[in-house]
Amino acid sequence: RRCHFAGRIFLRDAITKSLNFSTSHVQSIDAESAHIRGSVLLKDGFCAAAGISFPYTTIDEMLCCSGGHLRSVRGPAFNCRGAEINGDADMKGGFLGEGAVIFHAATIGGELNCSGSAFRNRTEDGGGSSLDCSNAEIAGNVLLANNFRSEGAVLFSGARIGGALNCRKGAFLNRTNDGTGRALNFEHTEINDGVYVCEGFSAGGQV
């Protein structure tokens, strides 16, 4: 905790009990195909300047990025493509992602909570995704609520959500000059509980 790492951190194919970089500043972390037998904690002011990469990683407990700041000018800010997270994925409480946050084809055993957070990856043509959960399987609720803000497309096409989708007081912005920009894409999504798009919800772009 409260450490500064000037270079990249490589944890590819590693097996470790847990990862706790809370309050620390890093350049980037590459943990592709790693197995984390506990939780991954990147919270409380954690900052990454050049992206975090956890594709195809197994996390036996929870992923917590609440209050973290992840950015990348080249590639995703946070890549969890194909990851298996057996607990919750928390990206709430002031989390800021500057660059795409990707959970494409990932499995989340609990809920995905992005309440009160900001995701920014807007492009002029509307093709930039701020949060990509397409083809993901999420056992619990998905919370994009309580002052959640997205600049760029939010994608859940082909995803399965075991709980509810809550977008109360969420703002989704991806309007383009030609009107083709999609703010929210839930094509072919399976949602097993309620869908709450109300109480201050706003969208600039297609839904």
Side-chain angles (χ1 to χ4, degrees), residues 46-100:
F46 170 84
C47 183
I52 301 296
S53 187
F54 280 80
Y56 312 108
T57 294
T58 298
I59 300 173
D60 287 350
E61 297 182 11
M62 74 177 300
L63 167 68
C64 184
C65 301
S66 298
H69 180 188
L70 311 183
R71 68 182 302 269
S72 179
V73 295
R74 298 179 181 177
F78 192 46
N79 183 2
C80 272
R81 177 184 296 268
E84 179 180 343
I85 302 164
N86 291 323
D88 294 335
D90 277 346
M91 312 189 85
K92 60 186 178 181
F95 169 86
L96 172 60
E98 296 186 286

Side-chain angles (χ1 to χ4, degrees), residues 1-183:
R1 294 172 65 93
R2 300 186 183 276
C3 296
H4 290 255
F5 298 86
R8 297 184 66 187
I9 298 172
F10 288 94
L11 296 167
R12 285 193 175 193
D13 300 305
I15 299 174
T16 183
K17 184 176 180 181
S18 63
L19 286 179
N20 187 352
F21 285 95
S22 298
T23 71
S24 295
H25 289 214
V26 304
Q27 186 68 15
S28 64
I29 300 174
D30 183 351
E32 181 175 351
S33 300
H35 185 179
I36 314 301
R37 290 178 172 165
S39 295
V40 173
L41 306 177
L42 310 173
K43 61 177 185 171
D44 298 338
F46 170 84
C47 183
I52 301 296
S53 187
F54 280 80
Y56 312 108
T57 294
T58 298
I59 300 173
D60 287 350
E61 297 182 11
M62 74 177 300
L63 167 68
C64 184
C65 301
S66 298
H69 180 188
L70 311 183
R71 68 182 302 269
S72 179
V73 295
R74 298 179 181 177
F78 192 46
N79 183 2
C80 272
R81 177 184 296 268
E84 179 180 343
I85 302 164
N86 291 323
D88 294 335
D90 277 346
M91 312 189 85
K92 60 186 178 181
F95 169 86
L96 172 60
E98 296 186 286
V101 174
I102 299 173
F103 288 96
H104 173 82
T107 300
I108 298 174
E111 67 179 19
L112 173 62
N113 191 343
C114 303
S115 294
S117 295
F119 294 72
R120 300 173 182 162
N121 194 37
R122 194 178 179 194
T123 58
E124 290 187 4
D125 65 359
S129 58
S130 60
L131 177 61
D132 181 358
C133 293
S134 54
N135 297 313
E137 293 195 15
I138 301 164
N141 300 319
V142 172
L143 305 173
L144 311 176
N146 298 327
N147 299 316
F148 170 90
R149 181 176 177 86
S150 166
E151 298 177 21
V154 173
L155 308 178
F156 279 83
S157 53
R160 294 181 180 180
I161 300 172
L165 170 65
N166 186 347
C167 298
R168 289 185 178 104
K169 298 181 181 178
F172 302 80
L173 180 62
N174 198 33
R175 189 185 302 279
T176 55
N177 291 332
D178 62 4
T180 60
R182 285 197 173 187

Side-chain angles (χ1 to χ4, degrees), residues 192-206:
N192 289 332
D193 205 336
V195 176
Y196 304 96
V197 184
C198 54
E199 297 180 22
F201 167 87
S202 65
Q206 295 183 16

